[in-house]
Amino acid sequence: MTTRLTVPTSRPYDVVIGNGVHEQLRGLVGFGMGVLRVAIIHAPAMRRQAEILREPLVSDALEVHLIEVPDSEQAKTADVLTFCWKVLGETGFTRSDVIVGLGGGATTDLAGFVAASWLRGVRFVNVPTTVLGMVDAAVGGKTGINTAQGKNLVGAFHEPVGVLCDLDVLHSLPPAEMRSGMAEIAKCGFIADRTILELIEAAPEAISDPGSPIVAELITKGIAVKARTVAGDLRETGADGSIGREALNYGHTFGHAVERFEDYRIRHGEAVAIGMVFVAEIAHRIGHIDQELLDRHRSILQLVGLPTTYRPDIWEALLTTMRLDKKTRGDQLRFVVLEGLEHPVILGGPDESLLVDAYQAISA
């Protein structure tokens, strides 16, 4: 079964979810529309998959270049970005040519920024190969790289012309990577769609099976939340005075600080899971959510196999990193918190003692 979801921005595009959907790449590249070259940016583990994508494009007489980049967050650096520009320049890449991002969220983040920055913007297609990439990074037009000071501090909004979520590739994912992606799906449940949480609670054993129809349904529901949210607030400026796209950052301010402190040795979903429990503790302490919803954060994330606690001895380092977060305004920290299930809001300038209390509550 194939599902097609439209992201209804000013330049709408489709996200196609199903088995074998990578075969639709030829149509998205736009054969016969002046395209001469395609660059497929991929991580080392996706080398074989890149060759599979390359074959039908070459048969169309297109010039296809495979650009291999490092794994995970090591790909999102200025040096790797410069390397990609060098390849595009040496191969004569023009504004009518197309970039394909093949891999997890870090790879598609990088590929999107390469596309956004080359000749001030060329078309690109995302082919995410992880749960996290499908539900989060590949949809919504956020692209970027990291710096020594923090995650995703340099980037651009640049929407793909299409996204192909081929569920077949999930069978090759390590179990830890499956679990990591489920953090972003659970996040969508807390901020926008409680049926996601109910599905996890009803069948936690299905989460570890990449071929499970439950996993396919959860991925589809998560993408639907992302598509609805970004459609109303593509550039994260707020939508009609509401929280808008910032809702998708639930758990991310603290989570990104953990990732940075760990030098990205911890998976993104693991860090975000800890971050969600942290902001749930904040929300409970200011009377926004009750004990039951706070406990539900821990129980659902633990059902998926994700961490809900973190080390107790590095508060100052985390605070310094959070002050550089993209959501900070001036010197005021901002957190996405819940006022209730499916009701995210911004908490600006919380007292540091409140944050310390929440940190102590999640410390192991």
Side-chain angles (χ1 to χ4, degrees), residues 1 10 26 32 80 99 125 148 154 163 198 203 205 207 222 256 280 320 323 334 338 345 359:
M1 177 179 172
S10 59
R26 180 177 181 269
V80 176
I99 287 170
V125 178
V154 177
V163 180
E198 293 163 0
E205 69 285 348
I207 303 304
H256 281 172
T320 297
R323 292 195 187 281
R334 289 156 53 90
L338 296 182
V345 296
Y359 177 63

Side-chain angles (χ1 to χ4, degrees), residues 35-39 54 57-58 60-65 91-93:
V35 179
L36 297 178
R37 301 167 193 84
V38 177
R54 178 179 181 271
L57 300 177
V58 170
D60 286 336
L62 294 176
E63 187 181 304
V64 182
H65 302 277
T91 56
F93 225 74

Side-chain angles (χ1 to χ4, degrees), residues 242-257:
S242 70
I243 186 174
R245 184 174 181 152
E246 279 196 83
L248 297 168
N249 292 318
Y250 189 59
H252 282 58
T253 298
F254 189 85
H256 281 172

Side-chain angles (χ1 to χ4, degrees), residues 3-68:
T3 302
R4 185 177 295 269
L5 300 175
T6 299
V7 184
T9 60
S10 59
R11 298 170 63 184
Y13 58 94
D14 287 345
V15 183
V16 186
I17 309 149
N19 301 101
V21 300
H22 71 271
E23 296 173 0
Q24 299 185 32
L25 179 61
R26 180 177 181 269
L28 283 175
V29 164
F31 176 66
M33 296 172 54
V35 179
L36 297 178
R37 301 167 193 84
V38 177
I40 302 177
I41 298 176
H42 67 93
M46 288 293 109
R47 190 175 302 146
R48 175 59 187 145
Q49 190 66 22
E51 291 285 356
I52 291 172
L53 295 184
R54 178 179 181 271
E55 289 170 7
L57 300 177
V58 170
S59 69
D60 286 336
L62 294 176
E63 187 181 304
V64 182
H65 302 277
L66 304 186
I67 305 178
E68 189 169 297

Side-chain angles (χ1 to χ4, degrees), residues 1 52 54 73 105 129 133 145-146 219 228 312 323 346 363:
M1 177 179 172
I52 291 172
R54 178 179 181 271
E73 297 295 326
T129 60
I145 60 171
N146 306 327
I219 289 172
R228 290 196 304 269
R323 292 195 187 281
I346 294 294
S363 297

Side-chain angles (χ1 to χ4, degrees), residues 138-158:
V139 179
K142 270 190 177 180
T143 71
I145 60 171
N146 306 327
T147 72
Q149 288 69 43
K151 183 168 180 175
N152 296 332
L153 295 181
V154 177
F157 292 98
H158 190 60

